[in-house]
Amino acid sequence: MRTITADARRMGVIQEIAPDPAQALEAGIGLAQKIAACGPLGIKTTLESAHTSIDESEAAAFAKLNEQFGALFRTEDFIEGRKAEAEERPPVYHGK
């Protein structure tokens, strides 16, 4: 018999299932560190997209993705990210 959490994970509603609160906290901190390593403009845009999906609709959020990506593509942070990748070093983002 399947569990609700297993079905939710399969559908992508949840990303990880921790066996206890300590491991849940550890997983949460790890995810937060991954997000914090990303460019601030990308994080902001992702949050805006998530809010659009919740407040309006998923279709509305998808409709804005090309415009949002295009705006990020022209930022200094995007250029820095690609340059850092080519140079095999961590990027240094400035939110510009």
Side-chain angles (χ1 to χ4, degrees):
M1 183 165 126
R2 297 186 111 152
T3 65
I4 292 172
T5 52
D7 286 341
R9 186 170 186 189
R10 180 184 52 78
M11 292 184 296
V13 176
I14 59 175
Q15 294 180 357
E16 193 169 334
I17 301 168
D20 60 60
Q23 289 184 37
L25 178 60
E26 186 178 320
I29 291 170
L31 180 58
Q33 289 172 332
K34 287 180 183 178
I35 293 169
C38 295
L41 298 176
I43 295 169
K44 180 181 177 189
T45 302
T46 300
L47 286 172
E48 288 172 359
S49 183
H51 285 279
T52 299
S53 181
I54 293 167
D55 297 340
E56 297 176 36
S57 69
E58 193 175 280
F62 278 122
K64 296 177 181 180
L65 283 179
N66 283 336
E67 179 183 337
Q68 290 172 321
F69 179 75
L72 289 173
F73 189 77
R74 295 182 293 275
T75 65
E76 291 176 26
D77 280 359
F78 184 88
I79 295 166
E80 165 60 14
R82 300 298 58 83
K83 184 177 178 183
E85 185 177 31
E87 295 173 357
E88 298 181 0
R89 63 170 174 80
V92 179
Y93 297 116
H94 298 286
K96 297 179 183 180

